[in-house]
Amino acid sequence: MAIHAELATDYFTLRSEDTQQRLLDRTVDDYTKALQLTQNLYNGGAAALTDVAQAQAQLETARTQAADIRLQRAQTEHAIAVLLGRNPSLFHMDADPYLVAVAPPPIDPGLPSTLLERRPDVAAAERRTAAANAQIGVARAAYFPVFSLGAAAGFDSTSASNWLSAPSRAWSLGPAAGVLTVFDAGRHRAQTAQAKAAYDEQVADYRNTVLIAYQEVEDNLAALRQLQQETVSETAAVSSTATALQQAQYRYKEGLVTYLEVSTAENAYLQAQIANVTIQLRRMNASVLLVKALGGGWRRPDLGSTPDTGRGDPAAATR
């Protein structure tokens, strides 16, 4: 499950980088056209040299960002290759720059807490607790003699003093012998106390493991809820900055403002788009982490067992 979650997270990171790459490549094209327009206006005496310098600096910055995101994508692709057991130098995934259009799977209301029992750490802690509880019974059983019944009966020793001392503390009923503990100087009492202490420790560990599991589930449920609201507000921000950029471009072409206003509007529009992609990536990753926290998917048909995510489709971990 941990490897599947890491693979799904890397996959969505790769798609986020594809989306950002498309945005930055388109921005480089737009800034190139803006620089050409500014250069023409400068040549005609309608723009200042500072406008040309501003447009040139903005273009080069966008080119740097585009190159950096290509580097990040290559590294993410290599990480996916390693998780799949493939040679990074020979592994390639085609770009799919439409992460913003993808929504996390809906969460069924009233998820049963029994889903947490599928988590390996919770199941292991529960088994350790059960084993420690069984050890208490083993330690207490050591107080009582074990008899092997046979056809004949007799004492192992004819001397009462020998019968009360080790190792001759046994009654033999037939050919087989069984041990009867009479005096142990408190050894069995200490073993029982030790078993009870070990049980208490395992119970505390089990409780802490379950609490951590609940925390991880609640953290990711809260993240999905809040990021959904952020998506709505950031989408509105993208729309608003697009309108502001359009108006700034009109005003600049009419000679009403300097290129600084256009540059500011263009940067705001680009950052809003990148922020929108980043929020969407965080939503998808929160879904992956919720699957991991639950020990599997939350769809009704999947509640009985952990779903197979499949190696060929990293995104399947959230389905």
Side-chain angles (χ1 to χ4, degrees):
M1 177 60 67
I3 296 298
H4 287 164
E6 184 178 355
L7 180 59
T9 299
D10 286 347
Y11 174 80
F12 288 124
T13 299
L14 184 78
R15 294 313 179 200
S16 172
E17 290 162 350
D18 286 341
T19 306
Q20 293 181 61
Q21 185 68 65
R22 180 173 62 93
L23 289 174
L24 289 166
D25 288 344
R26 188 175 60 191
T27 298
V28 168
D29 292 339
D30 291 341
Y31 287 2
T32 300
K33 295 176 182 177
L35 174 60
Q36 185 61 53
L37 172 63
T38 304
Q39 185 68 53
N40 293 338
L41 291 174
Y42 172 73
N43 294 337
L49 182 60
T50 54
D51 289 350
V52 178
Q54 180 71 29
Q56 182 69 49
Q58 190 176 41
L59 173 60
E60 298 304 328
T61 299
R63 284 175 175 167
T64 301
Q65 290 177 303
D68 187 63
I69 204 67
R70 278 192 288 271
L71 171 60
Q72 293 179 37
R73 188 194 189 280
Q75 293 173 338
T76 303
E77 192 175 59
H78 296 161
I80 292 175
V82 171
L83 290 174
L84 294 176
R86 305 279 294 276
N87 186 340
S89 63
L90 302 177
F91 183 78
H92 175 70
M93 295 181 66
D94 293 333
D96 185 9
Y98 298 102
L99 179 64
V100 175
V102 179
I107 299 175
D108 294 337
L111 293 178
S113 60
T114 52
L115 290 178
L116 295 178
E117 295 176 6
R118 302 175 303 177
R119 286 177 55 126
D121 57 343
V122 172
E126 188 273 334
R127 286 293 84 202
R128 288 194 297 269
T129 302
N133 186 44
Q135 287 301 315
I136 296 178
V138 171
R140 290 182 61 85
Y143 280 112
F144 304 101
V146 178
F147 293 103
S148 296
L149 299 176
F155 283 112
D156 169 53
S157 173
T158 58
S159 171
S161 60
N162 291 338
W163 179 71
L164 293 174
S165 61
S168 188
R169 294 174 301 181
W171 286 350
S172 177
L173 303 180
V179 175
L180 168 62
T181 301
V182 179
F183 297 116
D184 63 1
R187 179 169 61 90
H188 286 309
R189 182 179 298 125
Q191 289 176 339
T192 301
Q194 180 184 21
K196 288 181 178 179
Y199 172 73
D200 291 340
E201 179 183 6
Q202 293 302 328
V203 168
D205 178 70
Y206 182 33
R207 179 176 183 275
N208 187 61
T209 301
V210 172
L211 287 176
I212 291 175
Y214 271 110
Q215 177 191 356
E216 292 176 356
V217 170
E218 289 298 329
D219 284 349
N220 290 291
L221 286 174
L224 286 170
R225 183 171 56 253
Q226 296 300 325
L227 289 171
Q228 170 62 31
Q229 298 176 5
E230 291 184 27
T231 298
V232 174
S233 59
E234 195 60 38
T235 300
V238 170
S239 179
S240 297
T241 52
T243 301
L245 174 58
Q246 186 180 48
Q247 294 300 314
Q249 290 172 336
Y250 288 153
R251 289 161 59 83
Y252 179 68
K253 290 178 181 178
E254 296 298 325
L256 300 176
V257 296
T258 65
Y259 190 77
L260 179 60
E261 181 173 326
V262 177
S263 176
T264 301
E266 286 176 333
N267 286 332
Y269 180 50
L270 176 61
Q271 294 307 314
Q273 292 180 95
I274 292 178
N276 200 24
V277 174
T278 301
I279 291 171
Q280 187 66 6
L281 172 62
R282 292 171 63 194
R283 290 180 65 193
M284 301 306 295
N285 285 344
S287 291
V288 172
L289 294 176
L290 179 58
V291 170
K292 180 181 178 182
L294 289 172
W298 55 80
R299 298 297 181 85
R300 292 299 173 184
D302 298 335
L303 297 187
S305 62
T306 301
D308 182 8
T309 58
R311 290 177 64 87
D313 182 8
T318 59
R319 293 204 293 267

